[in-house]
Amino acid sequence: MRQWTVQEARAALLRRGLAQSLEAVEFVEGENCIVFFPLPNDKIAWFPTTAEGQRRLVRERRVLRLLERYCHFSAPRVVYEDDTGWDLRTFVRGFVRPTYMLERIQSDANLAHQLGEDLGRILAEQHTCIPPEELEGGWLPRVKNWPRPEDLSRLPEIVQDSKLLERINLALERRAAVRDYHPVLVHADLGLHNVVVDPDTLRVTGVIDWEDPVFGDRHQDFAFMVFQRPEEPMLEGALSAYEPAVGMKIDRDRVLLLNAVAAIGFLGFRYGHAPEEAWCGRTLEQDLAWTHKALAIAGL
C-alpha cells in the first residue's frame, strides 16, 4: 500500500473534488497518518504515511464497520475506501473539549453522573451487541499496548523515587496477573479526549478514535472515568447504566488498578520531554501526582 506525503494526499483530495485547491484544506500530521478536515459535507480523510499507519487504518475500518452494523450509537462511518489505502469518514457531530469537560464535571457531580450514564449505555451496547465470532481470529490484540515496554524501561531515568518505582512494579505485576475469560470489543482509550458531546446539552453524541481497540477486558473502558476523588460520580453513573443492561458487575478495584497503570504509562511516555513541558496535557509534576494518587487509591 502507498505511504502518502501531504502534497500527494492533497492532490488525491483535489482529484475527487474534495478540495478547491491544493492549499484549501487543513490537516494534522501524526506519527503514522495525515488527517484532513473539514472536508465537504462534514467528512474527514485519513492517509497512511507508514506501514504501521496502514495496518492501523485497515483494523480501524473493520471495527467501524462492525459498530455500524451492530450498534446504534454514533461513531465515525467509513463512506469511501480507496484502493491506495486512504479513506473518507463522517464526523460525529458535537465537540471534543477534554479540558473544558474536566473542569465542568469536577465542579458538577450531577453532570459527571449524567455523562457516565451516557457512556455506560454506549458501552453496554458495544460490549454485548457484536458477536464474538466477528472479533476472534487474532486480528485484534487481547491486551492494550500500554504502558509500552520501551517506556517502562526508561522509568528509572524519569523517577528517582525508589519507593515509587517499587509501587509501580507491584501495580504492573497485578495487572499482568489479571485474567479475563469473557473478552469483548474494547475501545481501550475511552476518555474525555475521545468523547463527543452536544455543545448545548453536554450529552454524549458519540465516541471517536478507534485506532487501538482490543478484544479483551471490558474493565479497560472504565479506567479513564476515575479522577482520584472521594466519590467518582462519572464512574458510578456509567456503572448504574451498564451493570443492569449487561447483567453483570464491574470490579471497581480492577478499574482503579487499570487507572493507575494508565498513569504509569503516561509517566514513562514523558521520556525525552522537559519536566515543565505539558506533554499529553500534563507536566512531570502533574504526571507524578496522578501516579502517586492513583496508586494509593488502588491500594498500592
Side-chain angles (χ1 to χ4, degrees):
M1 286 290 183
R2 187 171 183 172
Q3 295 171 22
W4 294 81
T5 66
V6 171
Q7 197 71 3
E8 290 169 341
R10 280 176 161 160
L13 294 175
L14 188 63
R15 286 194 298 271
R16 288 199 59 84
L18 295 168
Q20 295 179 344
S21 72
L22 286 177
E23 306 300 326
V25 60
E26 297 181 20
F27 70 93
V28 174
E29 192 167 6
E31 184 179 356
N32 294 297
C33 292
I34 309 169
V35 185
F36 289 86
F37 66 93
L39 296 174
N41 300 315
D42 292 331
K43 300 297 188 298
I44 182 169
W46 293 74
F47 288 81
T49 56
T50 65
E52 175 61 20
Q54 182 60 57
R55 285 191 291 270
R56 287 183 177 221
L57 285 184
V58 169
R59 183 176 60 197
E60 188 174 9
R61 282 195 289 265
R62 188 168 176 180
V63 168
L64 292 177
R65 288 182 170 122
L66 288 175
L67 293 173
E68 183 176 13
R69 181 177 179 184
Y70 292 106
C71 301
H72 295 95
F73 65 86
S74 293
R77 304 302 188 206
V78 179
V79 295
Y80 173 75
E81 179 181 348
D82 196 81
D83 290 341
T84 56
W86 69 276
D87 66 54
L88 192 65
R89 306 175 188 181
T90 59
F91 271 108
V92 176
R93 292 185 177 274
F95 70 64
V96 180
R97 292 169 58 187
T99 302
Y100 171 77
M101 289 302 297
L102 178 59
E103 292 172 352
R104 288 296 306 270
I105 66 174
Q106 285 182 328
S107 61
D108 187 340
N110 290 330
L111 175 61
H113 198 279
Q114 171 187 289
L115 192 70
E117 287 180 19
D118 289 346
L119 289 174
R121 284 186 282 269
I122 285 173
L123 288 175
E125 196 175 358
Q126 175 191 317
H127 291 172
T128 62
C129 290
I130 300 175
E133 56 267 26
E134 295 273 24
L135 303 167
E136 294 168 346
W139 66 277
L140 286 173
R142 293 297 295 265
V143 179
K144 177 180 172 67
N145 183 31
W146 193 265
R148 303 185 310 172
E150 61 267 34
D151 296 329
L152 293 177
S153 67
R154 294 164 175 163
L155 275 171
E157 299 180 57
I158 301 169
V159 178
Q160 283 71 51
D161 183 339
S162 60
K163 290 185 177 179
L164 177 57
L165 290 172
E166 289 176 7
R167 295 165 68 202
I168 285 172
N169 287 334
L170 181 57
L172 296 173
E173 288 171 4
R174 289 192 182 178
R175 199 282 290 265
V178 168
R179 295 291 179 266
D180 186 84
Y181 301 101
H182 303 284
V184 296
L185 175 65
V186 178
H187 183 287
D189 192 27
L190 184 61
L192 297 176
H193 52 298
N194 287 326
V195 173
V196 186
V197 300
D198 182 279
D200 297 319
T201 65
L202 300 185
R203 301 303 296 258
V204 177
T205 60
V207 176
I208 60 172
D209 288 352
W210 294 83
E211 66 173 345
D212 288 309
V214 302
F215 181 44
D217 184 2
R218 69 187 70 216
H219 290 77
Q220 184 65 58
D221 275 339
F222 297 92
F224 289 118
M225 300 183 194
V226 175
F227 299 97
Q228 296 82 46
R229 303 177 67 189
E231 297 179 354
E232 296 288 354
M234 185 173 170
L235 176 62
E236 293 306 321
L239 299 186
S240 73
Y242 182 90
E243 291 177 336
V246 302
M248 69 172 292
K249 299 287 286 184
I250 289 296
D251 183 342
R252 286 161 173 76
D253 289 337
R254 190 186 301 188
V255 173
L256 296 177
L257 172 64
L258 291 172
N259 180 264
V261 170
I264 293 165
F266 281 104
L267 184 59
F269 193 51
R270 287 200 63 84
Y271 181 79
H273 296 270
E276 65 277 8
E277 181 182 351
W279 180 241
C280 296
R282 289 172 302 277
T283 63
L284 173 59
E285 182 180 5
Q286 291 168 327
D287 271 327
L288 284 169
W290 178 18
T291 304
H292 274 290
K293 196 176 282 190
L295 287 167
I297 291 175
L300 297 164

